[in-house]
Amino acid sequence: MIKSQQRSSNIMETAIRPSIIMRKGHGSWVYDTQGKKYLDFIQGWGVNCLGHTHPIMVDAITSQAGLMLNASPAFYNEPQLKLASILAEESHMNKVFFANSGAEANEGAIKLARKWGQIHANGAYEIITFNHSFHGRTLTTMAASGKPQWKKLFEPKTPGFIKVPFNNSHHVKKAVSDKTVAIMLELIQGEGGVIPAKTAFLKDLKDIADQHHLLIIIDEIQTGMGRTGSLFAFQDSPITPDILTLGKGLGGGLPISALISTSRVDCFEPGDQGGTFNGNSFVTHVAAKVIKEILNPSVLTHVNDMGQYMKDQLHTLSQKFSFGKVRGKGLLLALGLGQPISEKIVKQSLEEGLLINAPKPDTLRFLPSLLVTKEEVDIMMNILGHVIQQVFRKK
Ligand SMILES: *Cc1c(COP(=O)(O)O)cnc(C)c1O
């Protein structure tokens, strides 16, 4: 039996963790210290986009480790310039700032929008964000997020975020004032339960932003880097960002994030933004190798094929157990269960050697490696079907 929590460790209890201890990983599989094997359909919340310890990453890490780790943010370095030029070319935006986590990239996006408001919009600073959105865990990105459980935590948080219901442009229109500088959103709310933005809603947002000269900030920390079947999710949507943030899969498992903007919007001056580890040679070199692999057309085709295959399989399972809808795109998928049993399923899956995640009590989320195989999807579906039967039998 896996115990629900290990109380004796020196790690702060900021999450409920099972007592197992992870040791190594390879592709879609991880192994704990007891030698038990798990099929990983979380991949550190999608960060290991090429799976665990992919040879491309091991090579990139090894070669850069012997060359240079950190030249200091006071100097340019080769890999940083190269990664920035790839991101600029692919996003059709041309200014990049590197950071170490998604929250830090979003924090920078908020700062940039506020500075832009000071210079170009009569000091406008308010940012419209959405209920159930997730933008990170710094005080300001918590304030921007629409997680109901966070409302009372760590008060007072940063002011200036107006929260409205997602997929409802009427409420966005009502929230715009002369203090508004930007609208910030995820194209698929990941932590919120894999809720996609509707196409009509996005078109409306674009119109509202055009009409009131607002910036569009798209948080693609979860949807970016090939996860939804295109390099960036916005490329398959009716809107384009003025400011884009990336994280999670960008480093293939190493900590790196990016804030990208058009040159029209970039108004940072020396001293406005920075960080000791930001844009270091080591992580930017590895990220450049990761993105090159994702840009291999066969990889994005594979993401779309596997996404469709998994969607069909989940749909069949859903019908069998009278569950709800399959949501999401590419390899960011969720199954609505229509009943609060996701925690039980996740727990039992762990026992059976499958790692999946429950963003909500009635939702399962799947974030496998972008290189996951059809056989691995079949194994996952088998375990999941078996686990659900067990959970129902125990009820
Ligand atoms: C994970 C996530 C973040 C926060 O990223 P961290 O690296 O944990 O700080 C922000 N926005 C979205 C959409 C995310 O999924």
Side-chain angles (χ1 to χ4, degrees):
M1 222 4 224
I2 290 160
K3 278 178 268 145
S4 69
Q5 229 171 330
Q6 174 136 335
R7 284 247 160 236
S8 57
S9 88
N10 302 111
I11 302 291
M12 286 191 184
E13 297 287 340
T14 56
I16 298 168
R17 301 180 179 96
S19 62
I20 54 168
I21 300 166
M22 295 306 191
R23 171 169 283 163
K24 61 176 186 177
H26 195 72
S28 289
W29 298 89
V30 290
Y31 302 80
D32 68 17
T33 47
Q34 305 293 309
K36 183 172 168 180
K37 185 175 166 179
Y38 304 82
L39 180 58
D40 191 353
F41 271 58
I42 305 176
Q43 292 286 357
W45 279 260
V47 302
N48 307 310
C49 55
L50 305 179
H52 293 273
T53 58
H54 192 285
I56 288 175
M57 290 212 50
V58 176
D59 286 352
I61 288 168
T62 315
S63 65
Q64 190 60 39
L67 201 59
M68 170 166 274
L69 297 182
N70 196 341
S72 129
F75 301 104
Y76 291 120
N77 67 66
E78 281 178 305
Q80 159 199 84
L81 291 167
K82 185 168 174 196
L83 179 61
S85 84
I86 299 171
L87 289 172
E89 185 173 331
E90 295 300 325
S91 65
H92 297 291
M93 299 163 84
N94 36 29
K95 292 292 174 180
V96 182
F97 174 81
F98 291 115
N100 311 291
S101 70
E104 201 187 338
N106 282 337
E107 186 93 18
I110 293 161
K111 284 187 185 176
L112 185 60
R114 284 189 172 195
K115 179 139 195 220
W116 189 86
Q118 279 186 344
I119 300 173
H120 300 287
N122 295 318
Y125 64 91
E126 279 182 359
I127 300 179
I128 297 173
T129 62
F130 295 93
N131 294 346
H132 303 290
S133 63
F134 180 84
H135 300 297
R137 291 170 180 280
T138 61
L139 270 182
T140 297
T141 53
M142 280 180 96
S145 299
K147 231 179 139 117
Q149 309 92 292
W150 284 1
K151 231 174 178 164
K152 293 211 179 90
L153 264 181
F154 315 130
E155 287 294 288
K157 289 194 277 292
T158 312
F161 297 97
I162 311 295
K163 258 157 255 166
V164 296
F166 196 50
N167 277 326
N168 186 324
S169 49
H170 173 68
H171 282 277
V172 177
K173 266 181 220 155
K174 274 205 326 202
V176 175
S177 76
D178 56 5
K179 289 198 227 101
T180 314
V181 70
I183 301 171
M184 179 172 187
L185 78 156
E186 299 156 87
L187 294 181
I188 299 174
Q189 290 190 331
E191 299 308 301
V194 188
I195 313 294
K198 296 200 166 102
T199 304
F201 171 66
L202 293 176
K203 283 184 181 153
D204 287 348
L205 285 190
K206 186 181 183 316
D207 291 344
I208 295 167
D210 285 347
Q211 196 184 338
H212 298 277
H213 306 290
L214 308 179
L215 302 178
I216 300 263
I217 305 173
I218 304 187
D219 175 348
E220 290 228 35
I221 289 161
Q222 190 153 151
T223 55
M225 304 316 292
R227 179 57 51 188
T228 65
S230 44
L231 185 65
F232 309 123
F234 82 81
Q235 293 169 321
D236 198 24
S237 90
I239 59 171
T240 47
D242 299 290
I243 301 176
L244 172 71
T245 54
L246 300 172
K248 292 203 163 83
L250 179 60
L254 289 190
I256 176 172
S257 64
L259 151 61
I260 308 177
S261 89
T262 58
S263 20
R264 176 182 80 91
V265 170
D266 172 33
C267 52
F268 276 154
E269 292 167 294
D272 284 351
Q273 182 64 327
T276 306
F277 294 112
N278 295 23
N280 68 73
S281 322
F282 184 65
V283 291
T284 52
H285 174 74
V286 178
K289 296 289 180 188
V290 170
I291 195 169
K292 267 191 146 168
E293 180 61 14
I294 297 173
L295 284 170
N296 181 340
S298 69
V299 171
L300 289 177
T301 305
H302 181 79
V303 171
N304 284 302
D305 291 349
M306 282 306 108
Q308 191 55 52
Y309 180 67
M310 212 170 120
K311 222 172 183 175
D312 293 343
Q313 299 292 308
L314 286 170
H315 182 70
T316 307
L317 180 98
S318 181
Q319 284 190 318
K320 182 173 165 192
F321 291 100
S322 303
F323 290 152
K325 271 197 175 155
V326 182
R327 302 191 297 266
K329 202 168 175 192
L331 289 170
L332 169 53
L333 294 176
L335 174 62
L337 301 166
Q339 47 197 311
I341 55 169
S342 63
E343 287 293 347
K344 272 189 192 151
I345 294 175
V346 165
K347 246 185 172 166
Q348 190 60 32
S349 295
L350 184 69
E351 294 274 345
E352 306 283 324
L354 170 65
L355 308 183
I356 49 174
N357 156 260
K360 290 207 302 199
D362 63 352
T363 302
L364 296 174
R365 179 172 47 171
F366 308 86
L367 289 159
S369 158
L370 302 184
L371 307 179
V372 69
T373 65
K374 185 168 169 290
E375 290 68 35
E376 287 161 351
V377 174
D378 289 338
I379 299 170
M380 187 281 288
M381 291 305 309
N382 256 328
I383 300 176
L384 185 60
H386 179 69
V387 163
I388 290 166
Q389 265 166 354
Q390 278 181 310
V391 166
F392 280 138
R393 221 176 292 138
K394 278 186 194 166
K395 255 174 120 177

